[in-house]
Amino acid sequence: MTDLEKFNKETRFIARHFKPGAFQPQYSFNAVDAFKNRRRTAMKWIAASFAGVALSAAAIVITYQVMNTEKPVEPTAIPVQPVDRTDRADEIIHLEFTDAPLSEVVKGVEDAYGVTLTNVPVEDLHLTLSYEGNACDFIDTVNELLGTDIKIEK
């Protein structure tokens, strides 16, 4: 097909499909007309962005509130087994007392090690001590520091 035949074929196609007013070069290439509603379009995009941010924030707040609602905890019964008081006497436990009366120290040792102490003086003695060890060593240390004769009842 020659160039002239191609040109004639394309011209016939355009002539068949031509509609008056379909192509207006002055309107299409005029910058003022092409961007006539640019400000209104920008305002619509800004409004849509704000609406999206507001909806996202609302969804986050609602999700946070739903996730953090505390459900009531139902009490459960835990079977209590008798504690063998001699089992813990040899355990190494850290005890710390700051200007504590001797009665408080005795109660703390009895609770921590599960032992019963005897021969505790009635005097108002105070003790400041940070100790880590077993019950026998603790009592020996207290006896040495305070000059007492406290013993573990077996």
Side-chain angles (χ1 to χ4, degrees), residues 74-117:
E74 296 179 17
T76 57
I78 299 173
V80 177
Q81 298 177 356
V83 178
D84 187 8
R85 295 182 66 105
T86 58
D87 285 350
R88 295 181 295 164
D90 292 330
E91 286 184 25
I92 296 182
I93 299 175
H94 178 79
L95 297 173
E96 194 161 322
F97 300 100
T98 304
D99 197 30
L102 188 58
S103 59
E104 185 179 312
V105 172
V106 168
K107 183 176 181 337
V109 170
E110 288 178 345
D111 291 343
Y113 290 108
V115 296
T116 304
L117 300 179

Side-chain angles (χ1 to χ4, degrees), residues 5-77:
E5 289 173 350
K6 281 186 184 179
F7 177 76
N8 288 337
K9 184 178 176 184
E10 291 173 358
T11 305
R12 280 190 300 266
F13 177 81
I14 293 173
R16 268 189 308 211
H17 297 290
F18 178 75
K19 292 181 186 172
F23 179 67
Q24 298 176 356
Q26 293 84 8
Y27 180 75
S28 296
F29 294 110
N30 191 349
V32 174
D33 291 337
F35 298 107
K36 185 176 179 182
N37 294 325
R38 188 170 76 184
R39 186 174 196 177
R40 187 178 301 157
T41 304
M43 294 303 283
K44 287 179 184 178
W45 278 105
I46 291 171
S49 298
F50 279 125
V53 169
L55 288 174
S56 298
I60 290 170
V61 168
I62 289 171
T63 303
Y64 180 76
Q65 288 178 347
V66 167
M67 297 298 278
N68 287 335
T69 55
E70 292 185 22
K71 296 175 182 138
V73 178
E74 296 179 17
T76 57

